[in-house]
Amino acid sequence: MKTIFVSGTAGSGKSLLTSKLLDYYARNGAFAAILNLDPGVDNMPYTCDIDVRDYVDYVSIMQQYELGPNGAMVMANDLIASKIDEIQNDVNKVNPDYLIVDTPGQIELFAYRSSGRFIVDNISTEEKTNIFLFDGSLITSPVNFVSIALLATSIRLRLNLPTINVLTKTDLIGDKLRNILQWSTNLKTLENAIGNETDGDTYTLTTNILRGLNLGGFAQGLIPISNLTGEGFGNLEGALSRILNLGEEVEG
């Protein structure tokens, strides 16, 4: 059993990508299952095999402890960590080839609290990786691109997992797609774009962050995908296989 965490900013398409990955593996003869880690989600584009809402009732927490939505989400996510043995038992009963984990919409609740890292470390499977989603609609400017790249690097540091960076909503950003892909592979091109858009302190700060990311090995490119058309899923699966299966890809 291999585990794939799906992370990214709110609205970046995590749940939809999760459902598309499930479909992709099913079409290619692999048994995949989904673990939902978001206790506050209402509707999902898939049927959960393991659902933390079966263990933690977000609305009841809010009412019982007189908490606001954010406070209840924090408590709910910490309570989920206390249920990790039960969650693992349910995962073992399903026993898929691939466990796809849809993380909470509020990424800071999962990645930056100790409970999130605890969950990552204590889901017991052979290999693990993380897909971080770059929301194409958010990174059409070079400064925004660097900001999300910094977040992606921070999440990678927090979760301590090999990470695949994916560009979503490629069908919505038109001509900007070419620019984004160039920025992700050619740091000089990105630095020039920053210079054309900014000056002063913003330019200095952004380029310093960029150079730090480059030293950290960020410049590995993005895998563009479309949840609408399915374009790019073969490349994504290939990247997953290089991490999870030592390069042996799922055969169609």
Side-chain angles (χ1 to χ4, degrees):
M1 180 165 46
K2 318 294 175 64
T3 301
I4 303 165
F5 292 88
V6 181
S7 64
T9 54
S12 59
K14 294 186 292 295
S15 293
L16 189 54
L17 176 63
T18 297
S19 71
K20 296 297 184 180
L21 274 174
L22 180 72
D23 293 343
Y24 182 91
Y25 281 121
R27 288 197 310 270
N28 289 280
F31 175 31
I34 294 175
L35 164 59
N36 168 51
L37 282 183
D38 191 340
V41 68
D42 289 325
N43 299 304
M44 296 173 293
Y46 54 76
T47 300
C48 295
D49 297 277
I50 307 99
D51 192 341
V52 295
R53 294 176 300 176
D54 293 336
Y55 305 99
V56 175
D57 188 331
Y58 162 72
V59 175
S60 294
I61 289 171
M62 192 160 46
Q63 294 170 346
Q64 181 178 351
Y65 296 97
E66 299 182 348
L67 295 171
N70 290 333
M73 283 295 290
V74 167
M75 178 173 280
N77 278 276
D78 289 347
L79 287 173
I80 289 166
S82 72
K83 304 289 187 179
I84 192 64
D85 289 339
E86 296 172 56
I87 293 170
Q88 182 67 55
N89 286 338
D90 281 347
V91 169
N92 291 341
K93 289 175 185 175
V94 177
N95 194 28
D97 300 319
Y98 297 93
L99 178 68
I100 308 168
V101 183
D102 191 5
T103 64
Q106 295 169 288
I107 192 170
E108 66 276 10
L109 291 177
F110 178 68
Y112 294 116
R113 293 186 64 79
S114 58
S115 55
R117 176 64 181 270
F118 179 84
I119 292 168
V120 169
D121 289 344
N122 285 277
I123 291 179
S124 180
T125 56
E126 296 171 59
E127 301 290 342
K128 302 173 187 177
T129 191
N130 176 51
I131 300 173
F132 184 87
L133 275 55
F134 281 65
D135 186 335
S137 64
L138 294 182
I139 59 171
T140 54
S141 78
V143 172
N144 283 0
F145 179 91
V146 173
S147 298
I148 299 299
L150 180 60
L151 175 62
T153 304
S154 175
I155 298 303
R156 181 173 184 174
L157 177 65
R158 282 292 303 155
L159 300 184
N160 193 32
L161 291 173
T163 299
I164 299 167
N165 293 316
V166 166
L167 174 62
T168 61
K169 304 182 183 177
T170 57
D171 46 291
L172 301 179
I173 55 180
D175 295 339
K176 293 289 187 179
L177 174 59
R178 180 181 177 184
N179 291 338
I180 292 169
L181 294 178
Q182 287 180 336
W183 297 339
S184 73
T185 55
N186 187 321
L187 274 295
K188 187 62 179 176
T189 299
L190 178 53
E191 190 169 327
N192 290 339
I194 294 167
N196 291 333
E197 184 180 275
T198 66
D199 56 21
D201 290 343
T202 300
Y203 174 79
T204 300
L205 176 60
T206 308
T207 52
N208 283 340
I209 291 172
L210 176 62
R211 289 163 187 162
L213 292 174
N214 189 23
L215 290 173
F218 169 73
Q220 57 183 316
L222 298 174
I223 298 176
I225 64 166
S226 170
N227 285 326
L228 182 64
T229 66
E231 184 177 359
F233 272 81
N235 293 332
L236 173 56
E237 197 284 323
L240 288 168
S241 288
R242 283 190 288 276
I243 294 172
L244 298 174
N245 303 321
L246 302 178
E248 182 178 345
E249 298 190 19
V250 175
E251 296 293 337

